[in-house]
Structure formats: structure tokens, C-alpha cells
Amino acid sequence: MPKPPPLPPAVRAHKDAALAVGVLVLQSAVGALLPAGQGHRPDAAGWALLVVTALVLAARRRWPMTVMLVMVAAVAPYHALDNLHLAVVPASMVAIYSLAVAGPPPRTYLTVAAVVAIMGGVMSATPERHAATDMLRSGGWVVAVALTGEAVRIHRKYVAAIVGRAERAERTREEEAARRVAEERLRIARDLHDLLAHSITLIGVQTSVAAHVLVADPDRLDRTAVAGALDSIAGTCRDARAELRATLQVLRGDDERGPLPGLAAVADLARSAEAAGARVELAVAAGADGVPPAIGAAAYRIVQEALTNAVRHAGGTSVRVGVELGTDPDRGTALRIAVTDDGPCPGTRAEPGPDRPDARWRPWRAVAPPRPSEDAAPAVTGPATGYGLIGMRERARSVGGTLTAGPRPGGGFEVAAVLPFAGGAV
């Protein structure tokens, strides 16, 4: 429920001025036309006080207490002079109502009590025989108007609270929707990064194998090696298409999503890395493939990115992948992942020959990268830049886990993750 905008100050001032003029017209009509009974018709001083009680209402919203004090200061002598008592009632009631609506309640109650006491003192000084009865009747009207104003104030405060809660709930819904959209966008970006980085890296390495075998020694062309490299490229492309199709189904809003990748597919990652030249030692604890799907998917992506980085930055290295069940001190059962490598293989531009028959199988050891031209961008040195490590950490955090990555003391690189999950041993 949208909250109506507050009236501009100029509009409120015009409305209060119109109310003051209307009250002045009403009081003037009562003072001039009502037969004299309770007091005589106002004299010059009475008319002046009557006008003051009406015009002061123009400031009733901005300074309600000041208006009330001016009202008491004008009405008390008006009644003391025994002018027509009913003539100033409209202005008095409006002033009391405005004070009660403005609040706070203690100020209203104290002011009403003071006004009733002043009325009693003034009326008791008049020669009227029924002054006490008139005072009680007038005091009752004063209290009734004050209670009406207090009820209106409470109602407005209640409505404002309801509107405020509705606005906060709407903002919360919008923020929640935006948060979910951002999380889904980030998840899709992670999936695409993991998929493309892994597949393109393997295809690049496997292509270099085929190119090296074709160019290094044409007289001793190993057709089997070339065919194996091309088959590996084709298999990597098929896997990439399947994963990309699943991701695009999410983007299109297709609810028919396939199962999430899990630890059962880690062996395929190891075979792909081995096809690219890495030597992978895989150790997956028995029962680890029974972890919850979200944990298994996060573990799969972490291992995938870690193997991709090992193939890309430490070609030909030995990579050890360990997955085991353990315990987390705070959250019970946890899946522990460790991917370590020995660092880049040493060696430079050794060409294949009789003494190096393995060169055709290790192109990253046999052929150094081409020398960059003067127009090429400078090579990146130091730690690798990109979203790989960031993505792995986000994968771990998405399931409440932690991930550390960095160089090993003895050389190489290590990625270690702890992914806790509810439940006992699997």
C-alpha cells in the first residue's frame, strides 16, 4: 500500500488560513445573530478578542501549543467581560483538537486540565446563577474534543506504522529478489568460467600435442599419437557441449535440468588432465560420492578448476587429488579436498630425437613457448590473474565451506578445501 505524499507546507498553510477565516465567519454570525442569553453581545473589546481567537488558528499545525496559549489568553478575558459565551466555542474546540492531534499525550492532558481549571475560575467569578452547571457542561465538551483528537492521533500513528511495515516488506521483497538474481548470475558465471576455462585449456594443450607430433619429426610421424590427441579434443568438445547445454537450459528457464556433476565424475576430470599431459594420482575415499548433491557439485568444480590451473601453469607436472571424509570442529562431518602439484616441469627447448623419444609425448617439455613479437602484449609474470581462485573460494563459501590456495613450501601449488555438511558419516 503506497503511502500518500505529505502535503506541501504552502498547501497546509492555505488550508489553515481558510479554516481560520471560516471559524471567524461562524463566530461573527453567532455573536451578531444569537439572542443574548448567556452573556451580552460582544462590545468592541469582545469583538477584538473574538477575531484574535479565530485568526490565531492559521498557525495551529506549526505551533499548536503557542496557539493554545494565545487562545486561553484571549478567551479568559472574553468570558470575564461576560460577552456572549457561545461565540468563542468553535475556535476553542479547534485549538484543543489541534493540540491533541499534535501530541504528545502528557502535554495534552496537562493542558486540558489547566484549561478546565481556568474555565472554572472564570465562570465562578461571573454573576450567573447556573455558572457551575455551565462549567461542567463546557468542561465535558473540552475533554470530549481532546479525547477525539487523541483518538485521531493514535489512528494516524497506527496507519503510518502499517504503511511503514508494508513499505519495509516491499523493500525486503525487492532486495531479496535482487539478491537471488545476483546469486544466480554469479552461479552461472562460475559455471561458465569453470566449463570454458577447463575445456579450452585442455583443447589447447591437446592441440599442441597434435601439432608437435606433426611438425617435430615428419619422417617418424606417429599417427597413433595424432589420432589419440584428436580423439581427446573431440571428447572434450562433447563434454563441453553437454555442460554448456545444461547451463543454457537454466538461462532459458527450462525446469528439466539434469543432475548436478558430482564426485563420481572426478575420474573423468583426471583422465582429461592426463590426456593433456599431466600425471594425475587420484584418491577418492570410499563413500565420498554419497555426499549431498550441492557438496558434490562444489567439490567437482573445485577439482576441475584446480586441475585446469595445474595443466595451464604447470604443464607436465604430477598432480595429486585427494578427496576424503573428515570432521569439522564446528559443524560435524566435512568433505576434505586437496589438489597439489610439483610445479612446472624443468627443461627448455629440447627437440625430439633418438635420445629423447618421450619428447613427442611431452611437448611442454620439448618445445618452449614462441618468442613474443614486439607488438604483442607483455607477458604476465607473478601470480596468475583471473577468476579461477575467486571462483573456487565462492564455490566453497556457497556451501558453508572454506578454501585455501597458495604455493607449497617445497615447490608447486596446493588447493585445499573443507566442505562441511549436516549428517553423520556417509
Side-chain angles (χ1 to χ4, degrees), residues 182-345:
E183 288 181 351
E184 185 66 13
R185 185 184 296 115
L186 182 61
R187 188 189 66 80
I188 293 173
R190 286 197 301 261
D191 286 343
L192 290 176
H193 172 270
D194 294 344
L195 167 64
L196 296 178
H198 179 73
S199 302
I200 292 175
T201 298
L202 294 182
I203 290 173
V205 173
Q206 293 159 354
T207 303
S208 69
V209 172
H212 172 73
V213 172
L214 289 173
V215 175
D217 192 357
D219 297 335
R220 299 173 56 190
L221 179 61
D222 191 338
R223 298 180 183 274
T224 303
V226 175
L230 295 179
D231 288 341
S232 298
I233 293 173
T236 302
C237 290
R238 284 193 298 271
D239 295 340
R241 281 198 305 270
E243 290 198 40
L244 187 58
R245 186 182 300 112
T247 302
L248 292 178
Q249 286 177 351
V250 177
L251 291 175
R252 295 191 184 102
D254 190 355
D255 293 334
E256 297 181 0
R257 298 176 55 188
L260 294 174
L263 291 176
V266 170
D268 296 334
L269 296 177
R271 283 191 291 269
S272 298
E274 288 177 342
R279 296 183 295 275
V280 181
E281 299 176 12
L282 180 61
V284 179
D289 55 352
V291 299
I295 301 295
Y300 174 87
R301 293 302 185 187
I302 290 172
V303 173
Q304 182 184 49
E305 181 62 26
L307 287 175
T308 300
N309 290 340
V311 171
R312 179 189 302 167
H313 303 296
T317 187
S318 295
V319 184
R320 289 172 295 280
V321 179
V323 180
E324 62 181 9
L325 292 173
T327 57
D328 184 81
D330 299 325
R331 286 165 286 186
T333 308
L335 187 69
R336 297 182 178 274
I337 303 168
V339 182
T340 59
D341 63 66
D342 297 331
C345 284

Side-chain angles (χ1 to χ4, degrees), residues 140-194:
W141 279 108
V142 170
V143 172
V145 171
L147 292 178
T148 302
E150 180 65 17
V152 171
R153 186 190 67 81
I154 294 174
H155 176 71
R156 289 179 179 178
K157 186 177 180 180
Y158 174 73
V159 171
I162 293 177
V163 172
R165 284 197 297 269
E167 290 178 348
R168 287 193 297 272
E170 183 67 22
R171 285 195 301 270
T172 302
R173 284 193 296 269
E174 293 176 355
E175 292 171 357
E176 179 66 16
R179 184 186 64 82
R180 290 183 178 180
V181 169
E183 288 181 351
E184 185 66 13
R185 185 184 296 115
L186 182 61
R187 188 189 66 80
I188 293 173
R190 286 197 301 261
D191 286 343
L192 290 176
H193 172 270
D194 294 344

Side-chain angles (χ1 to χ4, degrees), residues 79-80 82 85 121-129 131:
H79 287 302
D82 200 24
H85 299 297
V122 171
M123 288 187 175
S124 63
T126 60
E128 295 287 341
R129 290 185 301 175

Side-chain angles (χ1 to χ4, degrees), residues 28-117:
S28 300
V30 172
L33 302 177
L34 192 69
Q38 294 182 351
H40 57 72
R41 295 193 183 281
D43 51 14
W47 280 110
L49 294 172
L50 200 65
V51 171
V52 170
T53 58
L55 296 184
V56 74
L57 295 177
R60 69 184 187 92
R61 293 180 193 262
R62 298 181 63 184
W63 303 295
M65 191 62 194
T66 302
V67 170
M68 193 66 213
L69 294 176
V70 174
M71 188 68 62
V72 172
V75 170
Y78 179 88
H79 287 302
L81 295 173
D82 200 24
N83 293 300
L84 195 61
H85 299 297
L86 291 178
V88 294
V89 170
S92 303
M93 297 298 105
V94 172
I96 294 172
Y97 172 83
S98 301
L99 182 68
V101 169
R107 184 181 69 176
T108 301
Y109 300 150
L110 292 176
T111 303
V112 168
V115 167
V116 172

